[in-house]
Amino acid sequence: MDQYASALLAFPPETDLNDNALYDQAARSHLNKLSKLLKERSNELVTYGPQLLELLDPSVNSLSYLAVLYTLVIPGLASSASREFLLEKVTVFLMTFDGRQCRYAGSNLLEIMGAVGSGQLLPPSVAVGALASAVLNIDPTGTMLTSSYLMLAKLAYHTDNIDPALQVIDKNIVFYPNMNNHGDPDCLCDLSLSPPSYITRDNGLTATMKPAGVMEYDLLCGLMFCSRRDWAKAFAAFERVVTFPTREGGASKLMAEAYKKWVLVSLLLKGKQSELPSYTGGVANKLYGVVGKAYTNLASLFVTEDVQALRSEAEKNGEIWLEDCNMGLVQEVLAAYQKWRVLGLQDVYTKITISEIRKQTTSAETGEKLGKDEDVRMLIQNMIIGGMLNGVIEKNDDGTDFLTFLSPTTQLSEQDFAKELARTAMRLKQLQPIFKATNERLGTNKDYVKHLIKESKRTDKGDGQDPTLGFDSQVDDEDLMGGIITTS
Amino acid sequence: MASNEEQNHVLEFFTAMDNQEGVIVRQAPKLDLDLYISNYKGRTRFERLLRIGQCSVPLCQEALKAAIVEAKQGQDTQRYRDAWECIRIAAPNEPEAQWDSAWVTNTDKTNKHETYRLETELKGYKNNLVKESIRIGHRDLGQHLESIGDLTGATEAYSKMRPDASTQQHILAVSKHLISTMIQKRDWAGVLANANKVVAVSVPPQEQNTEQPYQKMVSGVAYLGSDKYLEAAKSFLEVGDPTACQQYNDIASVNDVATYGGLLALASMDRLELQSRVLDSSTFRNYLELEPHIRKAISMFVNGRYSACLAILESYRPDYLLDIYLQKHVSTVFSLIRSKCIVQYFLPFSCVTLDSMNATFARPGESLEAELITMIKSGVLKARINTIDRLLVAVSTNARVAMQTKGLEAARNYEKEALERIRRVSLAAANLEVKGQSRNAGGGLPGVGDLWSDDNGRRLLNPGESAMG
């Protein structure tokens, strides 16, 4: 027992860990010892495991902790300790482990996360929280999609434990597994590495992702934001699926599903159907026109005053909504109809009495005007509180209530404006490492290097030639960033 | 007693017209029928008489009788039939309402004979291969067909003149003949195309001057017909010499040019243009003198007396409704002018009480509010209504706010786009795009297999509603 303990505690050394090469070496030799231990003495490890776990600090001796935990949890919970004890340890470990160390044992970590993600070990609310922390422990920037993200999203959505997952699904994903041209890094432990260089299928930190998986993740994110009624984020998430890059005229059913939801959320967020971004795939675009007909019809009626037509369209297609699982969203849309009509009044009026609003707007849920002025007041007050409407309800001398629309944007002071711009600039600066990683990757792309060599040869050769020839060839230089937009 | 019976017949006639959704003008127009029709020559006379007979209640019988007379002076039996169908109901006791079958049979017979004669003659010319004779032959046939009302045949005959037209004058004549038939057929696009040819052929400067009145007038009428009011107004304003214009009164009279030009300019031009291009125009002034009320209305508008301007126009509405070209457009043009008046009236103010707007523009007892709302919604009027203090408030555009909003939006979009682009580059690099199978698929419909294969989407979404609550 003691010998195991001393072996397990040997890493990380207490000496300086800043040098990547030394750290790498130490980690790898410790890893060798651990795997030997796992292979030859796994029975003893299982026996002493619980005690060893008490001895080790999961945030410091993460690699060793992982090894012991692994023997106790995989393939099934060991009987040498109580279930509660083990599960507590798993949770603590996932919440606190050192991502740098665990890069060396990705596949073991992934297996444990997978066991948790299956939802059978831990209650879902705990599992989601633990997985979310684990995912961010591996990659604090949260910019790279891995199979664990998808697992987390599925678990969170299907068990309705969205809050603990928010810290993960809120992140902007810009990297994906197995991007070409990310060669093996010199030191896996280098903290300046960009996520795609240390999270690969080879070192086990992620499984293979397929296009459907990527889209499913964004779709799930959108659905989760929907259930939190965060329409802006849901809209962005669905749009990512709708505009998913396609090639050779591809399109997918998931994209069509996303399009339907995208249209509805767009009504909720903007009051009308947004235009598809220019980089939407051509075939997908045509597909949307066909399969999303009922939805675009609903959208075009949403902006009109014709409430009966909207209602009958919504009722007529009830089966479609049910089949597409969009009934909830359609009801939201109908509920939002009157709000948007009230909002539309600000294009005509500056001040208007509550009773006039009641006369001029109709609820799409009942197809009737609201019965009492008091109901309209409530509706408007909710809109003001929700930030949808910029206005105040006032009382006249003779006691009539009226709504005053305030000007849509109050002028910012010069300082506030500058601050706001600076904030955006800040955020753009924060993109710098991502940009750098992308640039490096593209810059060392095999094809690009070949292209450069060819270019330089041509300029060498072309010295004696007409200078205008060289100029021409410069102009139609391949634009690596620009050409990606429409790929279909 | 007799007059009572007459009225019953007229009533019956207009009930029938109403059922056919024809325009009915109950007020008496200011025009005098004899004087009015003497302004015109050619086939347009009948057209105008019949239109007045069909639309104007006070002038119905008088106009229809004149139409019968007019029809019988020509060779077009169909026209006689049309007019007779009307007068038969409207004034069955008049002598003109007796069906003159002898005249119809006779005329039909002569017409047929004449057509045959001209066609044979033309055949003879063709055999002789004399270009000039062939051209004349086609022209005669065209003129004959036009006079008996076969406009399609006439157009065909006239266009056959073109290959044999050898001088500028000939080409000009072809175009004029074609325009004449096309105006009767209301083929406005064709009129415009041929009107442009009239300009193109008349290259020498002095000649262009002589053709300008004709060309501008027909294109004005054609633009009006195709709802292009600004272009029409510009054309009418440039017609030029009234005496030269007078000779084309088989299409429109000089008075018509003044009315059309003035009204359409009022509907489509701003105050500055109206002053410089209409009131101060040395050529168009001659026209305005013929229709002084138009000039008065325009100067009222320019001087800001909008209600007076509208009142003048309103009093002439029956006249305009009886014009064959203007009838369809009267309500549109009037509402254009009206909303322009409202916009102009409001322009110098930042806020106006609704009551003073009502006093200026609304008909007695009615409120302007509904009209204002439509105008605001369509973006014509940049204002907001305040129903509490009963004010119409101008929208102040704060340039600074607009700039800031735009700036922030640009910054946000830039950020969003930067991320999106990097994301797409990465997806492409990871080979994660959705691929079509059109080229490499072994069988099946192209693309479809991939489209519907990822079926797990369906399964995934089913529990979705539970979370939506």
Side-chain angles (χ1 to χ4, degrees):
Chain A
M1 157 80 195
D2 282 348
Q3 52 171 358
Y4 296 131
S6 67
L8 291 171
L9 283 167
F11 187 82
E14 274 161 36
T15 49
D16 185 23
L17 292 176
N18 289 332
D19 187 78
N20 284 326
L22 285 179
Y23 189 100
D24 188 54
Q25 215 175 6
R28 283 184 194 284
S29 77
H30 186 65
L31 202 63
N32 274 336
K33 276 185 222 155
L34 285 180
S35 47
K36 215 189 246 164
L37 216 57
L38 278 181
K39 217 181 280 167
E40 294 165 9
R41 303 283 158 88
S42 73
N43 286 340
E44 285 94 326
L45 270 184
V46 170
T47 324
Y48 299 127
Q51 286 156 280
L52 289 168
L53 287 184
E54 293 287 10
L55 208 64
L56 296 165
D57 181 347
S59 61
V60 178
N61 315 104
S62 302
L63 263 182
S64 317
Y65 202 97
L66 175 61
V68 179
L69 203 57
Y70 183 79
T71 54
L72 291 175
V73 177
I74 306 290
L77 291 184
S79 53
S80 60
S82 74
R83 187 180 161 89
E84 283 73 31
F85 173 83
L86 280 179
L87 293 182
E88 186 201 325
K89 290 296 164 194
V90 168
T91 315
V92 170
F93 172 74
L94 286 180
M95 306 278 268
T96 56
F97 71 83
D98 176 10
R100 191 181 180 192
Q101 285 183 36
C102 290
R103 288 179 193 181
Y104 289 92
S107 51
N108 303 46
L109 180 61
L110 200 68
E111 263 184 78
I112 292 186
M113 285 168 71
V116 173
S118 70
Q120 279 144 13
L121 287 183
L122 292 165
S125 55
V126 182
V128 172
L131 278 180
S133 321
V135 158
L136 291 180
N137 276 342
I138 297 173
D139 166 22
T141 62
T143 48
M144 177 160 168
L145 186 72
T146 66
S147 51
S148 317
Y149 277 67
L150 180 57
M151 186 172 70
L152 168 65
K154 275 184 188 168
L155 185 65
Y157 180 66
H158 293 316
T159 61
D160 197 14
N161 284 293
I162 293 166
D163 286 353
L166 274 185
Q167 49 173 332
V168 174
I169 61 172
D170 241 352
K171 301 275 185 199
N172 287 319
I173 302 279
V174 287
F175 295 126
Y176 297 89
N178 307 328
M179 296 199 290
N180 57 17
N181 213 40
H182 267 294
D184 283 336
D186 295 337
C187 294
L188 208 53
C189 57
D190 188 346
L191 286 178
S192 65
L193 284 178
S194 73
S197 16
Y198 64 83
I199 304 178
T200 62
R201 202 181 51 204
D202 297 338
N203 71 20
L205 278 173
T206 176
T208 316
M209 291 294 281
K210 285 189 174 147
V214 179
M215 286 190 276
E216 194 181 340
Y217 174 73
D218 280 325
L219 201 57
L220 283 169
C221 287
L223 288 169
M224 281 191 262
F225 287 125
C226 274
S227 64
R228 292 181 54 82
R229 313 171 72 80
D230 189 338
W231 308 127
K233 281 180 183 162
F235 181 75
F238 289 138
E239 188 163 287
R240 284 199 291 274
V241 187
V242 170
T243 62
F244 202 81
T246 58
R247 214 163 63 187
E248 291 146 16
S252 127
K253 190 173 175 184
L254 279 174
M255 295 168 75
E257 295 289 342
Y259 175 76
K260 296 169 183 173
K261 295 175 194 299
W262 178 83
V263 172
L264 294 177
V265 173
S266 146
L267 293 180
L268 292 168
L269 178 67
K270 305 185 174 173
K272 58 178 200 274
Q273 189 187 345
S274 310
E275 293 201 0
L276 279 170
S278 55
Y279 42 80
T280 314
V283 173
N285 214 334
K286 274 182 214 144
L287 170 74
Y288 298 154
V290 179
V291 300
K293 195 94 191 98
Y295 292 86
T296 41
N297 284 348
L298 193 74
S300 57
L301 287 170
F302 188 80
V303 294
T304 64
E305 300 281 342
D306 192 350
V307 71
Q308 294 309 337
L310 179 73
R311 275 176 58 78
S312 67
E313 180 76 22
E315 273 164 28
K316 194 179 76 190
N317 295 321
E319 269 177 36
I320 300 183
W321 316 140
L322 269 181
E323 197 182 316
D324 295 342
C325 300
N326 285 330
M327 204 58 180
L329 274 176
V330 170
Q331 263 150 16
E332 286 282 341
V333 166
L334 289 182
Y337 174 77
Q338 189 168 22
K339 292 184 185 171
W340 280 100
R341 294 274 74 75
V342 172
L343 214 56
L345 289 178
Q346 71 174 346
D347 295 333
V348 180
Y349 298 97
T350 53
K351 290 182 183 176
I352 180 169
T353 61
I354 300 290
S355 59
E356 270 177 293
I357 296 182
R358 186 168 70 84
K359 272 180 226 149
Q360 292 202 15
T361 60
T362 321
S363 160
E365 284 168 304
T366 59
E368 309 277 325
K369 298 187 186 332
L370 290 182
K372 287 185 305 232
D373 285 359
E374 198 46 42
D375 297 340
V376 182
R377 247 182 93 97
M378 284 295 294
L379 180 85
I380 294 169
Q381 244 151 12
N382 285 336
M383 285 171 71
I384 295 174
I385 293 166
M388 191 176 172
L389 175 69
N390 193 7
V392 281
I393 297 182
E394 292 171 289
K395 222 176 194 46
N396 212 357
D397 295 336
D398 57 8
T400 41
D401 286 327
F402 64 93
L403 171 68
T404 305
F405 292 105
L406 302 176
S407 80
T409 40
T410 35
Q411 189 175 338
L412 298 168
S413 78
E414 207 54 28
Q415 280 87 359
D416 288 345
F417 181 60
K419 241 186 261 168
E420 195 58 44
L421 281 185
R423 226 172 289 153
T424 315
M426 242 340 254
R427 281 200 297 271
L428 282 176
K429 264 190 204 134
Q430 282 162 3
L431 294 183
Q432 190 62 31
I434 297 172
F435 177 70
K436 205 173 133 231
T438 309
N439 204 22
E440 262 171 24
R441 190 175 56 74
L442 289 173
T444 53
N445 184 302
K446 229 176 5 190
D447 294 330
Y448 182 64
V449 173
K450 249 190 240 162
H451 168 76
L452 271 190
I453 293 170
K454 211 169 72 188
E455 258 329 83
S456 69
K457 266 187 197 155
R458 196 167 60 182
T459 25
D460 286 349
K461 238 192 306 181
D463 271 348
Q465 285 177 351
D466 186 0
T468 51
L469 266 177
F471 179 73
D472 269 343
S473 63
Q474 287 289 306
V475 171
D476 52 35
D477 217 59
E478 186 180 13
D479 181 0
L480 278 170
M481 292 286 280
I484 314 288
I485 299 172
T486 39
T487 38
S488 71
Chain B
M1 206 47 209
S3 74
N4 209 353
E5 196 187 323
E6 255 173 48
Q7 271 174 13
N8 281 343
H9 288 306
V10 173
L11 190 69
E12 193 187 334
F13 175 64
F14 280 104
T15 322
M17 288 307 289
D18 198 27
N19 289 341
Q20 290 165 31
E21 290 176 7
V23 180
I24 296 171
V25 187
R26 288 188 180 76
Q27 285 152 293
K30 291 187 184 336
L31 57 83
D32 177 86
L33 192 63
D34 292 336
L35 213 62
Y36 171 76
I37 207 64
S38 66
N39 275 335
Y40 301 96
K41 66 168 192 231
R43 286 173 58 84
T44 193
R45 284 168 61 97
F46 174 83
E47 252 186 283
R48 285 169 191 271
L49 284 170
L50 184 66
R51 181 64 59 95
I52 293 176
Q54 283 171 338
C55 299
S56 170
V57 179
L59 293 179
C60 168
Q61 295 190 344
E62 191 187 347
L64 286 178
K65 275 194 269 179
I68 292 280
V69 176
E70 181 71 30
K72 280 175 94 171
Q73 278 168 10
Q75 285 100 44
D76 191 342
T77 53
Q78 182 56 41
R79 286 188 148 186
Y80 177 68
R81 229 167 260 134
D82 291 343
W84 181 77
E85 288 289 343
C86 293
I87 203 167
R88 193 168 60 98
I89 307 169
N93 301 328
E94 299 290 330
E96 283 87 348
Q98 300 307 310
W99 175 249
D100 189 347
S101 62
W103 178 81
V104 173
T105 339
N106 254 339
T107 317
D108 273 341
K109 211 160 102 192
T110 357
N111 284 349
K112 219 175 257 172
H113 185 73
E114 179 71 2
T115 313
Y116 178 74
R117 184 182 70 82
L118 285 168
E119 274 169 356
T120 341
E121 250 176 44
L122 182 63
K123 228 173 257 170
Y125 295 146
K126 277 186 182 162
N127 286 340
N128 292 335
L129 291 175
V130 181
K131 272 174 90 100
E132 183 61 11
S133 312
I134 298 175
R135 192 181 71 84
I136 300 283
H138 278 305
R139 189 197 66 192
D140 291 346
L141 181 63
Q143 275 171 344
H144 170 69
L145 290 176
E146 188 181 347
S147 76
I148 65 168
D150 181 1
L151 295 175
T152 321
T155 314
E156 203 179 314
Y158 286 141
S159 35
K160 280 184 185 154
M161 287 167 70
R162 207 181 281 288
D164 299 308
S166 42
T167 68
Q168 295 284 345
Q169 286 305 325
H170 293 168
I171 297 174
L172 208 61
V174 175
S175 294
K176 282 188 180 178
H177 284 305
L178 279 174
I179 288 173
S180 164
T181 53
M182 282 169 170
I183 284 187
Q184 292 177 58
K185 284 162 69 183
R186 305 283 186 266
D187 176 5
W188 305 123
V191 173
L192 281 175
N194 278 293
N196 287 336
K197 277 179 195 153
V198 173
V199 189
V201 291
S202 47
V203 188
Q206 70 273 19
E207 215 156 302
Q208 183 159 9
N209 283 338
T210 60
E211 291 310 328
Q212 185 176 345
Y214 175 77
Q215 193 261 333
K216 289 293 176 192
M217 189 173 78
V218 291
S219 27
V221 171
Y223 278 127
L224 170 63
S226 36
D227 299 331
K228 292 179 177 152
Y229 299 137
L230 182 62
E231 280 93 339
K234 282 182 183 159
S235 300
F236 286 124
L237 292 179
E238 288 164 8
V239 168
D241 187 13
T243 43
C245 179
Q246 178 67 41
Q247 54 176 309
Y248 300 110
N249 59 7
D250 56 332
I251 296 166
S253 69
V254 190
N255 298 58
D256 287 342
V257 172
T259 312
Y260 299 161
L263 265 188
L264 295 178
L266 205 48
S268 59
M269 292 179 174
D270 63 28
R271 177 185 254 133
L272 216 63
E273 271 183 304
L274 279 173
Q275 181 71 47
S276 63
R277 298 182 72 155
V278 185
L279 293 180
D280 292 351
S281 156
S282 56
T283 49
F284 200 69
R285 191 183 297 156
N286 299 329
Y287 290 91
L288 285 179
E289 274 164 17
L290 297 168
E291 295 286 336
H293 70 277
I294 290 279
R295 194 187 53 200
K296 213 162 148 202
I298 295 177
S299 53
M300 292 281 190
F301 180 86
V302 171
N303 292 326
R305 298 175 56 200
Y306 304 109
S307 47
C309 164
L310 290 177
I312 293 176
L313 295 181
E314 202 57 46
S315 69
Y316 277 86
R317 186 194 274 263
D319 290 54
Y320 301 149
L321 278 174
L322 294 180
D323 185 276
I324 46 171
Y325 302 124
L326 206 53
Q327 188 181 63
K328 265 202 321 196
H329 305 279
V330 169
S331 61
T332 326
V333 170
F334 269 45
S335 73
L336 275 176
I337 297 177
R338 189 176 158 80
S339 48
K340 239 176 80 179
C341 284
I342 294 177
V343 172
Q344 289 289 330
Y345 176 86
F346 183 63
L347 208 57
F349 302 106
S350 68
C351 120
V352 174
T353 63
L354 284 177
D355 297 329
S356 72
M357 293 290 277
N358 276 337
T360 318
F361 291 108
R363 294 181 188 87
E366 284 176 34
S367 172
L368 202 60
E369 220 171 300
E371 193 176 351
L372 288 178
I373 291 173
T374 352
M375 283 174 69
I376 292 172
K377 277 189 181 157
S378 63
V380 180
L381 185 64
K382 293 204 172 23
R384 300 280 182 272
I385 296 172
N386 177 343
T387 62
I388 299 302
D389 312 312
R390 301 206 43 80
L391 292 174
L392 186 68
V393 187
V395 182
S396 56
T397 43
N398 187 336
R400 178 151 215 98
V401 170
M403 180 277 284
Q404 288 183 345
T405 328
K406 224 171 183 177
L408 290 177
E409 196 181 330
R412 260 196 304 275
N413 282 343
Y414 187 85
E415 187 189 345
K416 190 180 147 213
E417 196 181 326
L419 271 174
E420 181 62 22
R421 284 196 174 214
I422 294 176
R423 195 178 81 91
R424 296 179 85 83
V425 171
S426 301
L427 277 172
N431 202 14
L432 279 172
E433 300 121 312
V434 174
K435 293 175 205 70
Q437 293 184 325
S438 43
R439 250 163 280 171
N440 43 19
L445 288 167
V448 172
D450 181 54
L451 198 63
W452 304 112
S453 63
D454 42 2
D455 227 358
N456 54 343
R458 173 72 66 208
R459 267 181 284 119
L460 149 81
L461 290 166
N462 274 334
E465 293 292 300
S466 64
M468 269 302 304

